[in-house]
Amino acid sequence: MLGRFPVALRLSRGLLRWSSARHGLSAMAGGGDEGRLGDFFEYMERLRNYERAGVPRGAGTDSEDGFDLGRMRRLLRRLGDPHTHFPAVHIAGTKGKGSTAAFLSNIMREQGYNVGCYSSPHLLTIRERISVGNDGGPVPVGLLSDLFDQAKEAIDESIESENGSLTHFEVFTALSFLLFSRENVDIAIVEAGLGGARDATNVIQSTELAASVITTVGKEHLAALGGSLQSIAIAKSGIIKQGRPVVIGGPFSADIEQIIRDRAFLTQSPVISACDPGIKSITKCIDWDNGKPYQRCDISIFQMIANCAFQSVELCDVNLQLLGDHQCQNAITASCTALCLRNLGWDISDASIQAGLEETQLPGRSQFLTQEEALVLGLDGASTVLIDGAHTEASAKALSNVIETVRLEGPLALVVGMANDKEHLAFAEQLLVGSRPDVVLLTEASIAGGASRAMPAPSLKEIWMSVARDLGINCVDIGTISGAETPEHIANLAASSSSFAGKATVMIGCQDKTPFSCDLIRTASQLILESRGGGNASSGLVCVTGSLHVVAAVLQHLEQH
């Protein structure tokens, strides 16, 4: 049983088997040849897309209200059941699953395995959601185009037989499994989209599952997942399968961890905890390389699995490009999963684990722009730019931790745009209490689904002003910002904060009637530097956050210029 996964699977690929040579992968998300996917994009846009429309209440629960996995299984059957042709690690969690998937994928690539990885959401192109091969870049245009052309007839038949109810996520998930099958991946790292029990990815059965991973349990998508943390934990624990090990990240509250362990007990699944007493980690320092920070950590793992097997690794001076205590925990969770695979018979060295952790970086997650990229945004080098797609209370707290770690004594500006269904009050409180910015500029994010899902910038400003006052923080309303202010106007705005002589004051303003533009970053930089005395001020930090859509707009601007 334990040795079956490392052996390369050579099963019949069913209906749509092909023989293909290895394809070179581009790390770039964009590229002019993406026009070849025009028919594919148009086809996918016609499908129901809950990422745009919003997920219905109860859709992610394992109940009568939940998504119908039957139609996903029927679609895959038409495609030759490609998900049965490779072993998989299935990852669910409120936060951290994307980082954990990236860490684990890179560990396996460092060891030389042909790795497929499926994740969501994307920033610039949907191709980012699928990677296959050795470099982890987005699936090449030609490979995805050919895949769709040959699978389209079977997908059409499924859509017709399901009376048009197949969704965008279901079809794209099926295509990813088909690609992994055709490319003969040694292992697939599959990130659940919503919850776990009724997510389209949860067609993976115990016969294909190497291990399941549950990173964290939080309040995001509360209504869709049953309305409580307990119901969310039940939904996520639905990826645990009979007799297959489950790695739990955490830390979890006692009642939430018990829900997961109860499910594991019922399925006779060994539990590996990334918060086990035998795991030690310490961040030794924060250092900088080529204008970007990294955290140097020591990680020690020594624990018993199912009272019969030990797993251990001692990693010294691990240079993590992903910053924060939460990312260190994600790295530990990925390492525990790699050790679990090692115990199943996979060849995974300590060196590959460390190298995989160190190679991992994620666009839009605690990403510091290079000096050259900052120049493209119109900054003169006086401010560092950090972009992070945080949009929940927990992720705001983690972001605040990162800011405090690297900020030193310089001024801070936040540029924030959010969807209207997020935890605005809690998000603002975490960033105001922890990092205490000098300037906050609110903007309107271009959210998938249109303006109806975007929180208007003036409404966000009122929330931040209210939270600041409730916290006893001095704040001044500097009105609306266009992003094209003159130096004189910037100086006047900065002077408006001097009315609170001797007291720290937060300047809060917003864009009015226009969606986010990168000009706002330059204005934020000018404001914080002027507020600290212009050229005599310490280097400033501008953080763009609140939504991956705002972060994507920054990356899109950089790519175009």
Side-chain angles (χ1 to χ4, degrees):
M1 177 70 77
L2 295 184
R4 74 185 188 277
F5 289 120
V7 179
L9 296 174
R10 293 294 181 264
L11 305 178
S12 170
R13 288 325 192 226
L15 178 67
L16 295 171
R17 178 185 174 111
W18 73 357
S19 175
S20 64
R22 284 281 167 256
H23 296 260
L25 299 181
S26 167
M28 296 299 293
D33 60 346
E34 193 150 301
R36 291 177 55 190
L37 290 171
D39 290 344
F40 168 72
F41 291 144
E42 182 180 347
Y43 187 95
M44 296 297 289
E45 282 297 310
R46 293 198 297 267
L47 300 175
R48 183 180 303 167
N49 189 342
Y50 288 117
E51 292 178 46
R52 293 180 177 273
V55 185
R57 182 176 296 273
T61 59
D62 195 8
S63 69
E64 291 182 359
D65 296 326
F67 286 127
D68 178 14
L69 279 183
R71 63 178 179 239
M72 183 67 184
R73 294 190 181 100
R74 291 187 290 272
L75 169 61
L76 288 168
R77 194 173 304 129
R78 288 183 184 272
L79 296 172
D81 285 325
H83 61 300
T84 65
H85 299 159
F86 49 82
V89 173
H90 197 189
I91 303 178
T94 303
K95 306 301 294 184
K97 57 184 181 291
S99 298
T100 302
F103 279 132
L104 183 59
S105 295
N106 283 328
I107 289 170
M108 302 304 284
R109 290 188 189 102
E110 285 291 333
Q111 190 64 38
Y113 290 111
N114 178 22
V115 180
C117 184
Y118 180 60
S119 63
S120 60
H122 62 274
L123 288 172
L124 300 181
T125 169
I126 197 171
R127 294 190 295 111
E128 298 167 29
R129 298 190 180 199
I130 304 176
S131 64
V132 62
N134 296 322
D135 75 351
V139 58
V141 167
L143 190 53
L144 181 56
S145 178
D146 291 346
L147 182 80
F148 173 67
D149 287 345
Q150 296 192 25
K152 183 177 178 298
E153 182 178 350
I155 297 172
D156 284 341
E157 291 171 355
S158 286
I159 290 174
E160 183 177 357
S161 68
E162 301 290 348
N163 296 316
S165 60
L166 274 172
T167 67
H168 184 286
F169 188 78
E170 288 167 334
V171 170
F172 201 71
T173 300
L175 286 172
S176 74
F177 291 161
L178 182 60
L179 180 64
F180 296 159
S181 171
R182 289 178 166 183
E183 291 294 291
N184 290 315
V185 298
D186 297 312
I187 191 168
I189 314 300
V190 179
E191 178 188 336
L194 175 73
R198 292 296 186 94
D199 187 73
T201 60
N202 202 32
V203 292
I204 301 169
Q205 297 301 307
S206 58
T207 48
E208 296 87 48
L209 185 68
S212 54
V213 182
I214 300 175
T215 55
T216 60
V217 173
K219 294 180 181 178
E220 192 172 13
H221 303 302
L222 196 64
L225 294 174
S228 70
L229 285 176
Q230 290 73 22
S231 65
I232 292 174
I234 292 170
K236 295 187 186 303
S237 64
I239 70 167
I240 300 173
K241 298 299 190 303
Q242 186 69 36
R244 306 312 304 153
V246 55
V247 179
I248 58 176
F252 302 99
S253 63
D255 61 326
I256 296 302
E257 182 167 336
Q258 192 59 51
I259 289 171
I260 298 171
R261 287 184 176 273
D262 285 347
R263 169 71 181 183
F265 177 78
L266 289 173
T267 57
Q268 299 178 303
S269 301
V271 177
I272 299 98
S273 173
C275 291
D276 189 277
I279 297 174
K280 309 293 182 185
S281 68
I282 183 173
T283 298
K284 299 164 69 173
C285 68
I286 301 294
D287 212 336
W288 294 75
D289 180 33
N290 193 28
K292 292 189 174 186
Y294 61 87
Q295 57 184 353
R296 180 168 295 161
C297 308
D298 287 346
I299 297 173
S300 174
I301 300 173
F302 183 82
Q303 59 186 179
M304 181 178 288
I305 305 174
N307 299 318
C308 62
F310 285 96
Q311 59 179 19
S312 64
V313 67
E314 191 83 25
L315 305 176
C316 297
D317 293 332
V318 182
N319 296 327
L320 293 181
Q321 298 184 68
L322 296 181
L323 302 182
D325 294 340
H326 63 299
Q327 293 293 6
C328 186
Q329 183 62 31
N330 292 333
I332 291 170
T333 302
S335 298
C336 286
T337 309
L339 292 175
C340 178
L341 293 176
R342 179 193 286 177
N343 284 332
L344 291 172
W346 296 79
D347 181 18
I348 303 172
S349 68
D350 291 0
S352 291
I353 295 175
Q354 178 153 349
L357 298 181
E358 292 184 334
E359 285 296 316
T360 301
Q361 52 186 321
L362 284 174
R365 281 80 162 182
S366 298
Q367 179 182 352
F368 286 80
L369 301 188
T370 64
Q371 192 171 44
E372 291 77 13
E373 289 169 333
L375 288 172
V376 171
L377 296 176
L379 277 65
D380 59 5
S383 293
T384 300
V385 179
L386 164 64
I387 57 176
D388 188 284
H391 54 269
T392 67
E393 179 181 9
S395 58
K397 183 177 182 180
L399 173 59
S400 183
N401 172 258
V402 171
I403 291 172
E404 284 298 289
T405 299
V406 303
R407 180 184 176 186
L408 301 178
E409 297 300 321
L412 168 68
L414 301 176
V415 177
V416 181
M418 301 185 76
N420 59 16
D421 59 350
K422 302 305 177 184
E423 305 168 286
H424 302 111
L425 289 168
F427 186 89
E429 182 175 346
Q430 287 294 336
L431 287 170
L432 285 170
V433 168
S435 50
R436 188 62 68 90
D438 299 271
V439 173
V440 179
L441 298 183
L442 291 314
T443 185
E444 185 171 303
S446 297
I447 302 294
S452 63
R453 291 194 60 220
M455 188 69 168
S459 299
L460 270 180
K461 185 181 74 171
E462 291 306 312
I463 290 172
W464 280 72
M465 293 285 293
S466 175
V467 172
R469 293 185 184 115
D470 289 345
L471 293 171
I473 297 172
N474 296 311
C475 59
V476 58
D477 185 347
I478 60 174
T480 58
I481 300 291
S482 69
E485 280 68 25
T486 64
E488 293 76 18
H489 186 46
I490 294 291
N492 290 335
L493 290 174
S496 67
S497 66
S498 64
S499 58
F500 297 95
K503 297 181 179 179
T505 305
V506 182
M507 291 182 280
I508 302 179
C510 69
Q511 277 189 306
D512 192 12
K513 298 181 179 178
T514 55
F516 168 76
S517 72
C518 289
D519 292 337
L520 204 60
I521 300 175
R522 183 175 63 250
T523 298
S525 174
Q526 293 168 342
L527 271 172
I528 54 173
L529 296 176
E530 189 67 36
S531 69
R532 293 287 187 98
N536 296 321
S538 302
S539 178
L541 175 63
V542 179
C543 176
V544 182
T545 188
S547 169
L548 282 172
H549 297 283
V550 176
V551 167
V554 177
L555 296 176
Q556 187 74 51
H557 180 89
L558 294 174
E559 185 177 273
Q560 291 173 346
H561 294 81

